[in-house]
């Protein structure tokens, strides 16, 4: 990882020129840096968690977007032709290219984007805006799970995406159980809406869940880690006729007792990226001012300090929520 000089971007008539102020490092960026991201096209400029200010707009940009506005962005593309797009689920486009993964991302001073991908953020600061995209992924998983107020929801993994799932499940009135290996993250999950927490490293997960749910197990399990162990935990622990929502990409093959798929008559659903409505919902939540934003930002660094910050994250992955690069 290093700094390079790029030419100033040339804005098209239907594009918006953004001046980046804060960009968050995602777990996918860490995987890319470690050489473990199968989705990435190298070399790449990372970054898709954006807090920016509009610097200029093209001639064909409709009213509503103006220079000086604080915005974030929807970092995904959609082709408009595949089965997902045809069904209105553009977040799961077969040919999606995410900023910082399949195409060059936002870790730079200026960036041009189609106006449709620019999302006004109201009165939020650009610093807070850098948290919107990862939280929206967690919000979307809750939509996929069709969570209601009679559900017990287990969220496995209390990173930024998992925290989004905790918040949204609690907003819908569900009883939320947060599971992680780090007690500090679990304490924060309680602050953000979890009724119960389980340290999966030190506690008997099965026994605790049975105790909390009168022996039934959770109605919904949201997997937000991406490991074979947590995938298996989700299927093993979910209640009969429950819903399992998979967000994390497991790095290795996962072996299941497939009898549970049939015996429990499970709904096992993937959850990818987020819809525009999820971004709006996160902005609405953050505007209330109840989110402990400062506790979710582990570190702010300059572009020059980014390689060192990534090394520290790699050395202690469980201790980091978000690293923000300040331009």
């Amino acid at each position: 990882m290093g700094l390079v000089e790029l030419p100033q971007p040339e804005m098209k008539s239907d594009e918006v020129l953004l001046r980046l102020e804060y960009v968050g490092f995602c777990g996918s960026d860490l995987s890319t840096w470690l050489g473990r991201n199968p989705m990435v096209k190298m070399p790449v400029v990372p970054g898709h968690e954006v807090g920016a200010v509009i610097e200029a707009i093209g001639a064909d940009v409709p009213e509503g977007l103006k220079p000086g506005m604080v915005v974030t962005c929807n970092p995904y593309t959609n082709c408009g032709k595949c089965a997902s797009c045809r069904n209105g689920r553009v977040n799961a486009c077969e040919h999606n290219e995410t900023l910082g993964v399949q195409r060059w991302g936002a870790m730079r001073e200026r960036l041009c984007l189609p106006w449709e991908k620019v999302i006004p953020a109201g009165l939020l600061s650009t610093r807070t805006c850098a948290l919107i995209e990862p939280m929206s992924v967690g919000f979307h998983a809750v939509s996929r799970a069709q969570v209601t107020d009679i559900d017990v929801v287990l969220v496995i993994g209390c990173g930024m995406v998992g925290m989004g799932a905790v918040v949204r499940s609690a907003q819908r009135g569900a009883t939320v159980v947060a599971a992680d290996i780090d007690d500090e993250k679990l304490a924060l999950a309680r602050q953000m809406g979890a009724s119960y927490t389980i340290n999966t490293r030190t506690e008997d997960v099965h026994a605790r869940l049975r105790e909390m749910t009168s022996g039934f197990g959770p109605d919904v399990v949201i997997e937000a880690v991406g490991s074979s162990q947590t995938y298996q935990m989700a299927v093993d622990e979910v209640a009969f006729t429950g819903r399992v929502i998979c967000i994390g990409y497991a790095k290795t093959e996962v072996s299941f007792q497939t009898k549970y798929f049939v015996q429990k008559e499970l709904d096992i659903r993937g959850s990818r990226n987020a819809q525009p409505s999820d971004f709006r919902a996160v902005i609405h939540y953050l505007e209330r001012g109840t989110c402990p934003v400062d506790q979710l930002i582990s570190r702010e660094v300059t572009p020059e300090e980014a390689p060192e910050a990534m090394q520290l994250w790699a050395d202690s992955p469980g201790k980091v929520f978000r690293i923000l690069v300040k331009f």
Side-chain angles (χ1 to χ4, degrees), residues 8 19 27 57 87 151 177 184 207 244 257-258 301 311 322:
Q8 289 286 350
R19 185 180 76 250
I57 59 173
N87 291 329
D151 288 322
V177 183
E184 291 181 20
V244 175
Q257 290 284 351
T258 54
V301 299
Q311 184 61 59
R322 268 303 172 272

Side-chain angles (χ1 to χ4, degrees), residues 269-287:
R269 305 173 186 175
S271 182
R272 185 182 181 192
N273 300 332
Q275 290 270 25
S277 58
D278 300 308
F279 282 85
R280 294 197 302 274
V282 172
I283 291 169
H284 183 62
Y285 161 66
L286 291 172
E287 284 179 330

Side-chain angles (χ1 to χ4, degrees), residues 50-52 70-74 117-121 129 132-133 279 283:
V50 167
V70 172
V71 297
T72 190
C73 77
N74 183 328
K117 298 298 182 181
V118 177
I119 303 172
C129 282
I132 293 171
E133 191 274 342
F279 282 85
I283 291 169

